[in-house]
Amino acid sequence: AGVSNPAAAVDAIVTSHKAAMLMSLAATKSQDVAYRVKSYKKNFDIMIERISGKQPTLPSMRFLKSELDIAAKALWLIGDGHESRMNTLDDSKTKNDVVKKFLAA
């Protein structure tokens, strides 16, 4: 028994393959972000460890403030980027358009 519409079958297989690639790409990007967040947490923990147990001096408090200011800015940047990306993905029309464009390529 042959395939009644070989062109449609090929299109279905290609579309399925592209969808699998899209999911793989999304999973890889998620893993990359998770790695960066884990690395950031490790560096933050190291910074806190360096100053814990030491007598609070004016220079150490200035150092801590400058480090925490940088950390706060980085966290705001990460949060804003994540929120923007999630808002884009939560918009069903945008999500639909992105998937259609990817599958059409």
Side-chain angles (χ1 to χ4, degrees):
V3 176
S4 62
N5 188 344
V10 168
D11 285 344
I13 291 169
V14 168
T15 301
S16 174
H17 180 68
K18 286 181 180 180
M21 286 176 43
L22 178 61
M23 289 186 287
S24 174
L25 181 62
T28 299
K29 286 188 176 191
S30 294
Q31 286 176 337
D32 290 346
V33 169
Y35 174 77
R36 281 190 228 126
V37 168
K38 185 176 180 181
S39 174
Y40 187 79
K41 180 190 179 312
K42 180 180 176 186
N43 289 336
F44 187 79
D45 289 346
I46 289 170
M47 179 195 70
I48 296 299
E49 194 174 293
R50 282 190 311 192
I51 58 173
S52 53
K54 296 183 179 179
Q55 286 295 335
T57 63
L58 188 56
S60 69
M61 291 294 104
R62 284 186 180 144
F63 170 77
L64 177 60
K65 183 189 177 316
S66 68
E67 291 293 309
L68 290 176
D69 284 345
I70 292 169
K73 288 176 185 174
L75 288 173
W76 277 111
L77 183 64
I78 290 168
D80 287 349
H82 178 73
E83 182 179 3
S84 172
R85 193 171 273 189
M86 289 301 103
N87 287 340
T88 299
L89 292 177
D90 284 345
D91 178 23
S92 59
K93 183 183 178 336
T94 303
K95 185 176 11 179
N96 223 6
D97 290 346
V98 168
V99 170
K100 282 181 182 176
K101 284 179 186 175
F102 185 85
L103 295 178

